[in-house]
């Protein structure tokens, strides 16, 4: 199985900060990586797929990059509604796997 | 408006069975691969299974292989997860999730809670 390791596991940031979350795969997955945002008590929401393609309706402050085994999610200017947990997920092979999550909270 | 509405969760004893349902609306179910993803309380996300548009192929995570069966009835716009021999570690919120064309996991239902306990 492909393991995905996110870092950091949690971070504290202020409104307006630039936030970068990394996701490392245990083997190459091409660009078959997606990012999701989840708020407490809610279902996850798709943000990015194919490593860097923004899902329809997702604001451009979110961006994704990377290929192979190393990927990043960047939030250019953190807003109050962005405080949440973020997950990466690979869909290169079965079983589909997720990173452990990165919780972004208010400093 | 796209909607995925899960139902069928509840409390079940270890070794018991449960069938989850997902009612789809606002899109053509038979054009999409469909998934079940679960989340144990306070934990991360775990993909459970998926099924091809016509039901001819299904894939499972090892921990449920042989115990869970994913199925679909496109005429009823419904997805199912039949769960047998349930264990405490199957306790989770189960989400019905759509793959739309090349976009994986693009839309999620609100989830249904399954609790396995005596």
């Amino acid at each position: 199985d492909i393991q995905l390791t996110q870092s950091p596991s949690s971070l504290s940031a202020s409104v307006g900060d630039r936030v970068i979350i990394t996701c490392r795969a245990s083997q190459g997955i091409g660009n078959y990586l997606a990012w999701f945002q989840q708020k407490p008590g809610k279902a996850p929401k798709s943000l990015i797929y194919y490593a860097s393609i923004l899902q329809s309706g997702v604001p451009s402050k979110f961006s994704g990059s990377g290929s192979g085994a190393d990927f990043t999610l960047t939030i250019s200017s953190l807003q109050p509604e962005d405080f949440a947990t973020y997950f990466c997920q690979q869909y290169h092979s079965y079983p589909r796997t997720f990173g452990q999550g990165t919780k972004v909270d208010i400093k | 408006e796209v909607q995925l509405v899960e139902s069928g969760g509840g409390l079940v004893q270890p070794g018991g069975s449960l069938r989850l349902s997902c009612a789809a609306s606002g899109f053509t179910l038979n054009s999409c691969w469909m998934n079940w993803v679960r989340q144990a309380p306070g934990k991360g996300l775990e993909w459970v299974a998926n099924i091809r548009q016509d039901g001819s192929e299904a894939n499972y995570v090892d921990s449920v292989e042989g115990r869970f069966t994913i199925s679909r009835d496109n005429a009823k716009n419904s997805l199912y997860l039949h769960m047998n021999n349930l264990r405490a570690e199957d306790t989770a919120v189960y989400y019905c999730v759509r793959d739309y064309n090349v976009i994986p996991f693009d839309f999620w239902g609100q989830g249904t809670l399954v609790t396995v306990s005596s």
Side-chain angles (χ1 to χ4, degrees), chain A residues 1 34 36 38 42-44 46 49 55 87 89 91 94-96 98 100, chain B residues 33 37 39 44-47 50 59 61 95 102-106 108-109:
Chain A
D1 298 2
F36 301 89
Q38 186 178 33
K42 300 294 186 182
S46 173
Y49 64 98
Q55 179 69 276
F87 295 91
Q89 184 242 345
Y91 55 106
Y94 289 110
R96 307 301 195 219
F98 290 86
Q100 83 279 13
Chain B
W33 279 79
V37 174
Q39 187 169 35
L45 299 166
E46 181 181 39
W47 173 83
N50 70 357
N59 301 282
V61 69
Y95 295 102
V102 298
I103 307 174
F105 294 66
D106 83 304
W108 299 60

Side-chain angles (χ1 to χ4, degrees), chain A residues 21-104:
Chain A
I21 299 169
T22 67
C23 178
R24 174 163 287 180
S26 58
Q27 63 189 74
I29 58 172
N31 286 7
Y32 294 104
L33 188 101
W35 290 97
F36 301 89
Q37 176 193 65
Q38 186 178 33
K39 297 182 179 179
K42 300 294 186 182
K45 173 188 172 185
S46 173
L47 297 176
I48 286 168
Y49 64 98
Y50 205 62
S52 62
I53 301 176
L54 216 58
Q55 179 69 276
S56 175
V58 173
S60 59
K61 62 183 170 181
F62 292 96
S63 63
S65 65
S67 66
D70 292 300
F71 302 87
T72 61
L73 172 70
T74 300
I75 310 171
S76 60
S77 177
L78 203 65
Q79 297 302 305
E81 63 271 18
D82 303 327
F83 291 96
T85 300
Y86 294 85
F87 295 91
C88 58
Q89 184 242 345
Q90 66 81 20
Y91 55 106
H92 175 272
S93 57
Y94 289 110
R96 307 301 195 219
T97 49
F98 290 86
Q100 83 279 13
T102 295
K103 184 177 181 181
V104 177

Side-chain angles (χ1 to χ4, degrees), chain B residues 44-66:
Chain B
L45 299 166
E46 181 181 39
W47 173 83
V48 174
N50 70 357
I51 187 168
R52 187 186 287 273
Q53 291 92 327
D54 62 0
S56 62
E57 178 184 343
N59 301 282
Y60 300 89
V61 69
D62 282 352
S63 59
V64 309
E65 183 86 56

Side-chain angles (χ1 to χ4, degrees), chain B:
Chain B
E1 179 193 6
V2 173
Q3 285 197 344
L4 294 170
V5 180
E6 301 94 335
S7 60
L11 175 64
V12 60
Q13 292 189 339
S17 299
L18 212 54
R19 188 187 82 159
L20 305 183
S21 299
C22 172
S25 60
F27 69 102
T28 306
L29 183 68
N30 63 16
S31 65
C32 299
W33 279 79
M34 295 295 296
N35 303 266
W36 288 99
V37 174
R38 66 184 179 183
Q39 187 169 35
K43 302 296 184 182
L45 299 166
E46 181 181 39
W47 173 83
V48 174
N50 70 357
I51 187 168
R52 187 186 287 273
Q53 291 92 327
D54 62 0
S56 62
E57 178 184 343
N59 301 282
Y60 300 89
V61 69
D62 282 352
S63 59
V64 309
E65 183 86 56
R67 300 188 299 123
F68 291 11
T69 302
I70 188 172
S71 64
R72 63 194 298 161
D73 185 336
N74 290 334
K76 295 183 177 180
N77 290 317
S78 293
L79 177 73
Y80 305 102
L81 187 66
H82 306 256
M83 304 185 295
N84 296 322
N85 192 18
L86 283 159
R87 306 166 180 167
E89 54 265 34
D90 297 317
T91 294
V93 173
Y94 285 73
Y95 295 102
C96 169
V97 190
R98 182 182 80 166
D99 287 348
Y100 185 71
N101 292 334
V102 298
I103 307 174
F105 294 66
D106 83 304
F107 193 86
W108 299 60
Q110 87 289 348
T112 187
L113 176 62
V114 172
T115 303
V116 184
S117 175
S118 55

